[in-house]
Amino acid sequence: MPVTRFSSPVLGLMEVSARGGDCRLIASPDRAARESLFSQPQILPTGEILMTTMSVSDDVDAASVEILSADRTARRRILKGARNARLLPSGHLVFVRGSSIIATRYDLSEQTPSPHEVTMVEGVALDSLGHPTFDVSNTGTLVFWTANDVRGNRALVWSDRRGQRVDSGAPLRSYQPEPSLSPDGDRVAVAAGDANHFLWLFSFRQNTLEPLWLDREPLAGLEP
């Protein structure tokens, strides 16, 4: 029966049947070892072996790529200082180390990556949680943001179902992905900035952009 695996930031790696039902915990971070989060789980082609990224508290570069045995009783690190690995049908393993996207061959019989690595892209941007902003398709098509893309000023626009874009009226800023629109469609909350990703609120009706959250602390008088 098909099973969905996903990562819970609180509990760890979970799985649930495609028919629904209760979620089952299959692996938890070792908090004593400063492990903080599993992410980007992928079932490998041979059996039920699962590959995932293990993040370490307060140190993005200390992350590692690990594999979990089919019975989920054993974990093994296959890449140190790497994260967001994806195995492609071609047999190539694509992952991020530092701010570079790297590819190498992967031996499925030994469950081991080749030491011969090729840097594909340098200067990939990280989001506010330290995750690389890239993805790769099963056919090898790679999409990514560079650090320059994230730091540059961007516009907030409306887009209709035909792909036509209309300027929202908001000033240019270094807006971050995934703005959140209010239910009435009049306001949008969006992060803008570099180090702290300050949270701002833009009103379409009043054409005003006001700060909601600065330096990771809410402004005085702001209610949750």
Side-chain angles (χ1 to χ4, degrees), residues 34 36 56-60:
R34 298 177 54 238
S36 62
V56 175
S57 299
D58 303 322
D59 191 350
V60 172

Side-chain angles (χ1 to χ4, degrees), residues 192-193 196-200 210-220 222:
N196 292 305
H197 299 284
F198 303 153
L199 186 63
W200 297 79
E210 298 179 344
L212 283 179
W213 207 286
L214 298 178
D215 197 24
R216 302 190 185 277
E217 293 294 336
L219 297 183
L222 179 64

Side-chain angles (χ1 to χ4, degrees), residues 168-171 202-209:
S168 68
F202 180 72
S203 171
F204 301 105
R205 185 182 306 148
Q206 299 178 3
N207 197 35
T208 56
L209 182 67

Side-chain angles (χ1 to χ4, degrees), residues 18-156:
R19 294 181 179 177
D22 295 334
C23 297
R24 185 172 74 92
L25 180 66
I26 58 177
S28 298
D30 184 352
R31 307 297 182 186
R34 298 177 54 238
E35 294 180 348
S36 62
L37 178 70
F38 287 107
S39 61
Q40 306 294 320
Q42 180 187 8
I43 294 293
L44 301 185
T46 54
E48 286 291 300
I49 295 176
L50 186 146
M51 182 172 62
T52 183
T53 295
M54 169 51 70
S55 299
V56 175
S57 299
D58 303 322
D59 191 350
V60 172
D61 292 328
S64 60
V65 177
E66 300 184 352
I67 56 174
L68 278 70
S69 60
D71 60 7
R72 307 297 182 249
T73 60
R75 287 168 48 187
R76 179 165 64 89
R77 178 187 296 171
I78 60 172
L79 288 170
K80 185 177 180 180
R83 57 198 187 279
N84 289 63
R86 175 74 64 81
L87 182 63
L88 304 183
S90 64
H92 292 91
L93 186 67
V94 179
F95 61 93
V96 169
R97 178 176 287 126
S99 61
S100 299
I101 300 176
I102 298 172
T104 188
R105 298 290 299 185
Y106 191 78
D107 186 338
L108 277 173
S109 62
E110 299 293 331
Q111 296 296 336
T112 304
S114 167
H116 304 293
E117 301 175 354
V118 177
T119 299
M120 303 171 62
V121 177
E122 295 182 339
V124 174
L126 305 180
D127 65 17
S128 58
L129 297 177
H131 299 306
T133 53
F134 89 103
D135 202 0
V136 58
S137 72
N138 285 337
T139 60
T141 300
L142 180 69
V143 292
F144 60 92
W145 274 6
T146 67
N148 289 333
D149 292 331
V150 173
R151 285 195 293 266
N153 284 338
R154 294 189 291 274
L156 290 177

Side-chain angles (χ1 to χ4, degrees), residues 158-199:
W158 292 103
S159 179
D160 62 21
R161 295 182 179 180
R162 295 177 298 173
Q164 300 298 316
R165 298 182 179 180
V166 178
D167 182 34
S168 68
L172 295 177
R173 290 285 191 278
S174 55
Y175 296 118
Q176 303 302 309
E178 299 182 7
S180 181
L181 193 65
S182 64
D184 61 7
D186 175 57
R187 296 174 297 172
V188 60
V190 60
D194 292 323
N196 292 305
H197 299 284
F198 303 153
L199 186 63

